[in-house]
Amino acid sequence: MSIAVCPGSFDPITLGHVDVVRRGRTMFDHIIVGVAHNAAKNYMFSPEERVRLAQESLEGIDGVTVEIVPGLLVDFAKQAGASAIIKGLRGAADFDNEQSMALLNRHMGSIETVFIMGAPHLAHIASSYVKDIARYSGDFDDLVPPAVARAIRERKDTNV
Ligand code: PNS
């Protein structure tokens, strides 16, 4: 069985992420969505909340599980028996960042990264934009799965 890890912060998961996972499943039998920590980011949702939101958002796609990546991605991928890492690319700005991570992960763990070009109609979606729109009370419903839209509203209501 071919396994790939699709890692990210997923804070929160968006329709762009869901599309990348769905298309990744056409290449791999099983995709593990890895909710990881990016030291450069402040998170709106805890790792457990990000896992739950990803699970709810991906429940319609067979052969997908969601797990927390507790440390280095390469260690997690190796332990999971994954033959590749899958990442979505929206454009050149993503590529700069992803290229160095892909090379580093291959250097550290001999694991290849497979890039999936994001669908053009979803290329404007980023978790950081979603959070910014929510912060200023804009409309984010068509950028994220329904479970995520609900969770953001609840988070805003409790003002956390
Ligand atoms: O969605 P993001 O924040 O762009 O994803 C980046 C992420 C979380 C995949 C990356 O920071 C990561 O892999 N973190 C896990 C720890 C690790 O392996 N760091 C070295 C990666 S080069």
Side-chain angles (χ1 to χ4, degrees):
M1 181 164 86
S2 60
I3 302 173
V5 177
C6 181
S9 291
F10 301 109
D11 184 52
I13 190 167
T14 68
L15 293 180
H17 294 129
V18 172
D19 182 56
V20 167
V21 173
R22 182 178 292 116
R23 289 162 57 205
R25 266 288 285 123
T26 65
M27 292 182 277
F28 294 90
D29 298 322
H30 189 86
I31 303 246
I32 302 170
V33 171
V35 174
H37 186 76
N38 181 342
K41 291 187 176 172
N42 287 320
Y43 291 116
M44 177 182 235
F45 294 102
S46 71
E48 292 75 19
E49 288 170 322
R50 287 181 269 144
V51 166
R52 183 179 54 78
L53 290 172
Q55 282 169 335
E56 287 179 28
S57 304
L58 295 164
E59 66 188 1
I61 311 174
D62 281 347
V64 177
T65 50
V66 185
E67 291 178 37
I68 288 176
V69 177
L72 281 180
L73 179 59
V74 285
D75 295 338
F76 176 84
K78 209 169 281 178
Q79 222 162 7
S83 54
I85 292 166
I86 285 190
K87 277 292 195 105
L89 286 181
R90 288 163 297 192
D94 279 349
F95 179 78
D96 282 349
N97 211 15
E98 296 298 342
Q99 182 188 31
S100 52
M101 279 199 275
L103 294 175
L104 194 60
N105 284 326
R106 198 176 63 171
H107 171 80
M108 289 192 296
S110 303
I111 188 159
E112 296 293 345
T113 299
V114 174
F115 292 109
I116 294 182
M117 202 64 234
H121 71 288
L122 301 171
H124 55 293
I125 303 178
S127 302
S128 55
Y129 295 157
V130 170
K131 288 180 280 189
D132 219 31
I133 294 166
R135 208 164 281 132
Y136 297 109
S137 302
D139 184 7
F140 46 79
D141 283 279
D142 50 1
L143 306 177
V144 292
V148 173
R150 273 194 304 276
I152 294 174
R153 278 202 184 86
E154 280 165 23
R155 183 54 44 100
K156 264 176 65 78
D157 287 348
T158 53
N159 220 2
V160 178

